Amino acid sequence: MRLPRGGVAVLSCTAGVALANNYAIQPALGDVARDTGSSAAAIGLVTTAALGGCIAGFAFLLPLADRAAPRRLVAGQLALLTAGLLLASCAPGLGLLLLAYVMVGAGASVSAMASTIAGRGVPGERRGAAVAGVAAGMSAGILLSRLVGGALADAFGWRGMLLAFAGLVVVCGAIAWTRLPGERPEGGGDGYLGTVAALPGLLRRHRALRLAVLSGSLWYLAFSLVWVALTVRLAQPPYGLDAAHIGLYSLAGALGFAALPVAGRLGDRYSPRAVIAGSMVVAAAGAGLLCTGLDRPAVTAAGLALVDAGCFTAQAANQTRVMSIDPARSGSLSGVYLLLYFLAGALGAGAAAPLVAVGGWGAASGVVCGALVVAGALVVLPRWAGEPVVETDRSMPKAGVSTSSPCGD
């Protein structure tokens, strides 16, 4: 299976639009809480529900990337995402809204499938660049989601914002149906149920996968925690910012978006491990700036920019490492990796509001900084700990290879 001209761009845009729906509602969480009669702590569960849906998608939908036609898979998940957004837009209370966002998250997990398809559909020597290209689309989706979501929520209300995003998803689904390959990938494995049943064994079998899961989970926990904690804290006194102003902070993530193409090329040329280690240094430096408080917007923006840049580029390189473990089963390996990766993100998002309530911004930013430091240490020290380190994939077979992507951040 080979992608047509412009296929990576289609997948990049699709992944970005899909993943944006996990985050677009975050600047408007205060409005949603007031409209649904929910507490500030409880409304943070919306983000957790979306990440939980992603986890389910990784476990039960991503393995299909090794077996089914990309056209049907991508269009089908985008239809699920549209249904979740429509349900959320008419939800009268928190219960139905949480159910809808589980559906939204499951549909948004198509971003991981897009990266898997991109990796399989290009020559092996371009795999890192293809992964980074889809990751750049996802990063743009995360970056713009809060800004656009906040602006649309201010203009049309949070329900109108969800309807606008649903329309955009429908457009992406139509493009994916016409542009993506309709043939199934080579090799069928042991069948869908057998493939899903074998997922836990992959984690036990591959030490390199366990290391990638542990380090990646730490930085995604930090990423999810910092953005939800920021939203919750800035909506409270003495800041009292509205959704649109909180959404402006997402522009700080532009550095992460700009760094991804460079990270992809470096990952193809050098060791993904080296890219990850450098990324964690950058992210930890940004977290250190955030620990100084939120009273100086320029410093806060700089800290967020560095955290986003480090987490985004590390994730692109980590996907290449996971892919290199066993290219023939990259869809299943990606499912295991991303399931646990986003479980950590869900924990971070769910812990953010209670952590701010108990310890303030200082406690939240301190946890973020600590998680990033530990993640960097795990990447730098595995040789000393006796863990195998997967470097580049230049020795791996080129045919029938796929990769995966984060559902972003």
Side-chain angles (χ1 to χ4, degrees):
M1 182 196 76
R2 284 289 177 263
L3 289 173
R5 183 182 299 273
V8 172
V10 170
L11 290 168
S12 177
C13 292
T14 298
V17 170
L19 192 57
N21 290 282
N22 275 4
Y23 305 96
I25 200 171
Q26 287 184 4
L29 285 178
D31 297 336
V32 178
R34 287 188 291 272
D35 194 22
T36 59
S38 306
S39 67
I43 203 63
L45 293 175
V46 171
T47 302
T48 304
L51 291 173
C54 267
I55 291 169
F58 298 146
F60 299 108
L61 298 178
L62 186 53
L64 289 171
D66 292 334
R67 301 182 51 78
R71 174 188 299 169
R72 294 181 180 274
L73 286 176
V74 173
Q77 281 197 251
L78 291 177
L80 175 63
L81 175 55
T82 302
L85 290 170
L86 294 177
L87 181 61
S89 70
C90 61
L94 183 61
L96 190 58
L97 185 64
L98 293 178
L99 174 61
Y101 262 84
V102 171
M103 296 173 60
V104 168
S109 70
V110 73
S111 58
M113 194 171 292
S115 187
T116 301
I117 295 168
R120 176 175 282 124
V122 300
E125 63 273 11
R126 293 171 47 202
R127 191 175 304 124
V131 171
V134 176
M138 291 186 295
S139 301
I142 296 172
L143 167 66
L144 296 176
S145 63
R146 298 183 181 96
L147 177 63
V148 175
L152 288 176
D154 270 6
F156 305 109
W158 65 272
R159 298 181 190 273
M161 178 267 292
L162 294 179
L163 291 174
F165 272 95
L168 186 57
V169 172
V170 170
V171 173
C172 287
I175 295 174
W177 181 262
T178 59
R179 294 292 298 162
L180 294 182
E183 68 269 20
R184 297 174 57 181
E186 295 180 2
D190 300 324
Y192 172 73
L193 294 179
T195 299
V196 172
L199 294 181
L202 295 176
L203 192 65
R204 293 192 300 269
R205 187 176 306 122
H206 299 290
R207 300 172 70 196
L209 178 61
R210 295 196 298 272
L211 179 62
V213 165
L214 184 56
S215 57
S217 294
L218 283 168
W219 70 62
Y220 194 56
L221 181 146
F223 175 85
S224 299
L225 194 157
V226 74
W227 278 105
V228 177
L230 180 79
T231 299
V232 171
R233 186 66 188 95
L234 290 180
Q236 298 172 346
Y239 309 104
L241 299 184
D242 58 24
H245 285 92
I246 294 173
L248 287 174
Y249 275 96
S250 66
L251 291 175
L255 180 60
F257 172 72
L260 273 168
V262 177
R265 290 192 292 271
L266 290 176
D268 278 335
R269 186 174 181 181
Y270 302 109
S271 164
R273 174 172 170 260
V275 176
I276 296 170
S279 297
M280 287 298 97
V281 171
V282 171
L289 291 177
L290 294 177
C291 287
T292 64
L294 299 175
D295 294 328
R296 295 171 294 173
V299 174
T300 300
L304 292 170
L306 293 176
V307 169
D308 278 20
C311 291
F312 288 161
T313 55
Q315 177 62 4
N318 216 25
Q319 292 163 18
T320 303
R321 301 180 82 202
V322 171
M323 170 201 66
S324 300
I325 295 170
D326 184 356
R329 306 191 69 179
S330 57
S332 297
L333 289 165
S334 298
V336 174
Y337 169 66
L338 291 172
L339 188 154
L340 297 173
Y341 178 82
F342 274 89
L343 177 60
L347 292 174
L355 193 58
V356 170
V358 172
W361 175 253
S365 58
V367 171
V368 168
C369 189
L372 293 172
V373 169
V374 173
L378 287 172
V379 175
V380 172
L381 305 178
R383 294 186 190 277
W384 299 355
E387 292 282 2
V389 177
V390 179
E391 299 292 345
T392 64
D393 62 349
R394 282 186 282 267
S395 64
M396 304 303 296
K398 305 267 194 247
V401 178
S402 67
T403 185
S404 64
S405 83
C407 199
D409 42 90

